[in-house]
Amino acid sequence: MYELIEMQLSLMYDILYTKAAVIHTWYGWCIRVVSPAATLTAFLLFQLDNNDNSDAYRVDAIVTYVLLLGALVVETTSLFRAIGSSWTCASLHARRWDLLYGALVCIRRRFKAANSRRWLYSIGQYSLLGFCTRDTTEWRSRITKRVGLGDWWNKLHYSSTTEVSQSARDLVLGAIPRRELGDMRNARGRWILQKVGLYDEISWSIDDADFDQSILIWHVVTVVYLCCREPAPPAAAEAGNEQAQDQSADDLLAETVRELSNYMMFLYVVRPEMLPGPVRGSRYDNNCRGLDTLWQQRSPELQGRDDYGARTPREHLARLLLREYGDDSDDRGSGTSSSSHRHADASSIQIEDNNPHGLAYIDGAGLAGMLLSDEWGVPDVLQMIAEVWIEMLCYAARHCSEIAHSKQLSNGGELVTAIGLLVEYTARSNFHRDGLAAANGTAPAGTSMADGDASTRAAEISTTDADAYRRAAEISTADGDANADASTRAADISTADADASTRAPKLSVDPDVC
C-alpha cells in the first residue's frame, strides 16, 4: 500500500504540474517525434546555407548554432524521457506488449529512474531543543542575522532530512486500521489516551489546547522522556535471545517516536502551511526565547561538570527541564494534587504551575516528569507517545487543505499527504475491519495485494483524489485553464490505468515502474 500511494502521488504530480496528459496522446507523440526531427532539419539547412565569412555574420552564426544545438538536445532528451516514463510502461502493459514492457522496465531499473520520485522514503527533521542549544557565536548565523536572514538560515541549517525507517512505516500502517473512522480523522491523541485511561488527566494537552500548542507540548514531552528515561539493562547471556530482541524492539520504537516528533516539528517550523488551523509563529518564538534564556543561564554551570561531555547539549537541556519543571517540584506537590490541578480550569492550572504565559516547554516538561515517575502505571509509555503522534499526524493530514497538499506536491510529496490518502483509503474501503481481523488472527478477506483487490479499490479512489487535487491546482496556479484541460484528459488516462491495474496487479505494486 505504501508503494501504491507513492505511485499515485507521482501520477498526481504528472497531472497537475507536467504536460504528461497531453504528451501521452496520439497527437502529443506526433509532436514529440516531429519536434527533434524538425530541429535537426533546421540545423542542417542552416549549415548548408552558411556561405558568408564576414565577422558580423560569424558571430550570428555561432549564436544560431548554440541555440539550435541546445534546442536539439532538449527535444531529444524530452523524447527519451517520454519513452521511458511510467505512463509509457502502463500503456505498453495495458496493450499486452509484454516484450517491450519488460525491456523498458529493465532499462528503468538499470538507470534507477524511479528514484527521483521516491518522496516518501525521507522526511524532514527539526528538534526544538537542538536548535535552542546551538552555538550562537557561529559566524554564519551572526552574518545572516545581521543582514535580516536569520529566520531563513535557522530553518535551512537546523532542519535536516532522514530516511524513513521500516519500523516507522510498519507502526503507522499498523496503527491506522485499528481505529474507527472518527478517531482516524479527529482523535489528535484522544483514542490512545482513552484506551490507557489517561484522557481525563491530560486532555488539557490534546483537546483543550490549540493544535500547534499540542505539537510543542508533546515534542518537549518526547525529547525529555527519551533523554531522561532509564536505559534498559543489557541482556544477560543466560537470558537468551528473547530479552535481547525486546531491548532491540524498544530501541527501534524510541527511534521511531523521535522521528515522528521531529517530523511534526519540521512541519510546524518549515512547512506551517501543511498544518491545519492557525500556526502562530509568535508561540514558537516565545518558547524559543524561554529555552534560550534558560540554556544561557544554566549552561555555564553544566559545562563545569565532569560528565558534561558524556551527553549532547540537547540531552543536558532536557534533563535541566525535567529538574526545573517536572521532578517533584514544590509547585506540583503530590501526584494526586497535580492530576486534579491538571483536570481543573485551564487558567488556574497555569497559575498553579507557575506558567502564566502558557509556555509549552514548561507544560511538556511537567507532563514528561509525570510519565517518567510511572505514577499512572502506563504499561508502555513509548508506545502511547508513538500512538499520540500517529493520531496527530492523521489529524494534520485530514484537516490540511487540498490547496496546501497540491502546492507541496510541486516540490515533492510529503509523508503527511501520503497519510491523508491512507486514511481515506482505510475509511472508504473498510480496511479497519480487516486490520482488526488480522489482529485477532483471522485472515482478512479481500485485502491481499497479490489478488489485486486492494490495489483495484485504491486505484479507483485515486481518480477521485486526483480530481480534488486538480481542483486545488486550478485555484493555486495562474494557468488554471490549461491545467483543467490537461487534467480532464488525464482523468480518462488514470481511469484506464486503474482498469489496467485490475487486469495486472503486478504493475500496481512494482515500485520500479513508479
Side-chain angles (χ1 to χ4, degrees):
M1 179 61 72
Y2 198 80
E3 288 80 7
L4 181 62
I5 291 175
E6 191 175 52
M7 295 179 196
Q8 290 166 353
L9 287 178
S10 179
L11 174 63
M12 292 177 188
Y13 173 84
D14 288 337
I15 293 174
L16 297 177
Y17 295 105
T18 70
K19 299 178 181 178
V22 178
I23 293 173
H24 295 278
T25 57
W26 68 268
Y27 51 86
W29 277 109
C30 289
I31 295 173
R32 185 59 66 194
V33 172
V34 169
S35 183
T39 306
L40 179 60
T41 302
F43 178 82
L44 294 176
L45 290 176
F46 180 78
Q47 189 176 18
L48 292 174
D49 191 52
N50 186 11
N51 297 322
D52 194 344
N53 294 325
S54 63
D55 293 338
Y57 184 80
R58 186 178 297 109
V59 174
D60 294 339
I62 293 174
V63 173
T64 305
Y65 278 129
V66 171
L67 293 176
L68 287 174
L69 286 175
L72 183 61
V73 170
V74 170
E75 293 297 336
T76 306
T77 303
S78 299
L79 176 61
F80 282 107
R81 286 175 62 89
I83 294 174
S85 68
S86 58
W87 290 66
T88 305
C89 289
S91 178
L92 293 175
H93 194 276
R95 289 169 173 78
R96 304 287 183 173
W97 294 353
D98 296 334
L99 185 61
L100 290 176
Y101 169 75
L104 187 56
V105 169
C106 290
I107 294 174
R108 287 176 57 83
R109 288 175 178 172
R110 175 66 178 83
F111 291 98
K112 299 180 180 179
N115 287 354
S116 60
R117 299 285 182 90
R118 292 292 172 87
W119 296 319
L120 304 185
Y121 281 78
S122 61
I123 55 175
Q125 299 282 280
Y126 187 90
S127 174
L128 176 61
L129 272 64
F131 170 72
C132 293
T133 55
R134 67 194 184 281
D135 183 10
T136 56
T137 63
E138 202 260 340
W139 65 273
R140 290 174 295 181
S141 299
R142 295 171 63 183
I143 292 176
T144 53
K145 183 177 181 180
R146 187 176 297 275
V147 298
L149 298 176
D151 292 339
W152 170 82
W153 172 254
N154 291 337
K155 292 179 182 180
L156 177 67
H157 185 63
Y158 295 102
S159 61
S160 60
T161 302
T162 187
E163 183 178 354
V164 182
S165 63
Q166 184 63 42
S167 60
R169 290 199 292 267
D170 293 341
L171 182 65
V172 173
L173 293 176
I176 291 178
R178 294 200 303 268
R179 289 158 171 78
E180 295 297 331
L181 178 59
D183 294 324
M184 286 189 298
R185 292 177 172 176
N186 304 308
R188 284 179 53 180
R190 181 180 65 250
W191 184 86
I192 185 61
L193 293 182
Q194 288 176 341
K195 183 177 180 181
V196 299
L198 292 183
Y199 180 73
D200 292 337
E201 285 78 5
I202 56 178
S203 63
W204 55 270
S205 67
I206 299 294
D207 289 337
D208 298 338
D210 295 332
F211 188 61
D212 54 348
Q213 179 78 350
S214 295
I215 292 176
L216 288 170
I217 291 174
W218 280 90
H219 178 71
V220 175
V221 169
T222 302
V223 177
V224 173
Y225 183 85
L226 292 178
C227 292
C228 301
R229 69 186 182 124
E230 292 294 332
E238 61 274 8
N241 295 329
E242 184 175 354
Q243 185 177 355
Q245 293 176 354
D246 292 340
Q247 183 177 346
S248 176
D250 187 71
D251 293 338
L252 285 176
L253 182 59
E255 186 60 32
T256 300
V257 170
R258 183 179 290 107
E259 284 182 18
L260 294 175
S261 175
N262 290 343
Y263 177 63
M264 292 300 292
M265 274 304 301
F266 173 82
L267 294 179
Y268 186 103
V269 176
V270 184
R271 305 262 194 270
E273 68 278 0
M274 300 298 294
L275 296 178
V279 179
R280 300 174 179 86
S282 59
R283 174 170 285 164
Y284 168 78
D285 293 337
N286 291 336
N287 282 275
C288 281
R289 281 194 295 268
L291 288 171
D292 283 338
T293 302
L294 180 64
W295 178 248
Q296 295 299 328
Q297 290 176 349
R298 303 297 296 273
S299 59
E301 171 189 337
L302 297 174
Q303 291 173 0
R305 296 183 178 180
D306 296 335
D307 61 343
Y308 181 79
R311 299 186 180 94
T312 63
R314 177 177 56 87
E315 293 173 338
H316 281 293
L317 180 56
R319 291 178 175 271
L320 179 60
L321 286 173
L322 180 65
R323 187 163 61 250
E324 290 290 325
Y325 304 110
D327 208 10
D328 293 332
S329 55
D330 295 336
D331 60 306
R332 294 188 179 275
S334 64
T336 305
S337 61
S338 176
S339 299
S340 61
H341 289 167
R342 286 296 188 189
H343 193 49
D345 180 73
S347 60
S348 63
I349 293 172
Q350 291 177 346
I351 295 175
E352 291 170 358
D353 287 344
N354 291 332
N355 189 15
H357 301 292
L359 294 174
Y361 69 87
I362 296 179
D363 287 336
L367 178 55
M370 297 300 295
L371 294 175
L372 286 166
S373 66
D374 200 24
E375 181 181 339
W376 288 317
V378 180
D380 194 343
V381 177
L382 267 181
Q383 183 66 33
M384 183 197 74
I385 297 175
E387 300 267 359
V388 168
W389 282 121
I390 291 173
E391 292 183 24
M392 284 192 180
L393 187 59
C394 292
Y395 178 87
R398 170 62 182 171
H399 293 274
C400 176
S401 67
E402 295 174 351
I403 295 177
H405 281 301
S406 62
K407 282 185 177 180
Q408 178 56 39
L409 193 60
S410 66
N411 299 321
E414 277 287 352
L415 178 63
V416 65
T417 304
I419 296 299
L421 292 176
L422 180 61
V423 169
E424 288 305 309
Y425 294 167
T426 306
R428 299 184 190 186
S429 302
N430 295 323
F431 286 171
H432 60 278
R433 288 201 296 267
D434 298 330
L436 292 175
N440 294 329
T442 306
T447 59
S448 173
M449 295 296 289
D451 59 14
D453 293 339
S455 62
T456 302
R457 290 194 297 268
E460 294 170 353
I461 297 171
S462 69
T463 304
T464 304
D465 292 328
D467 293 337
Y469 281 90
R470 183 178 66 250
R471 290 194 299 271
E474 292 170 1
I475 299 173
S476 60
T477 58
D479 55 346
D481 294 336
N483 281 343
D485 295 337
S487 302
T488 303
R489 290 188 293 269
D492 298 334
I493 297 175
S494 63
T495 304
D497 291 338
D499 297 335
S501 66
T502 305
R503 294 190 298 268
K506 179 181 178 182
L507 178 62
S508 299
V509 296
D510 189 353
D512 293 307
V513 183
C514 172

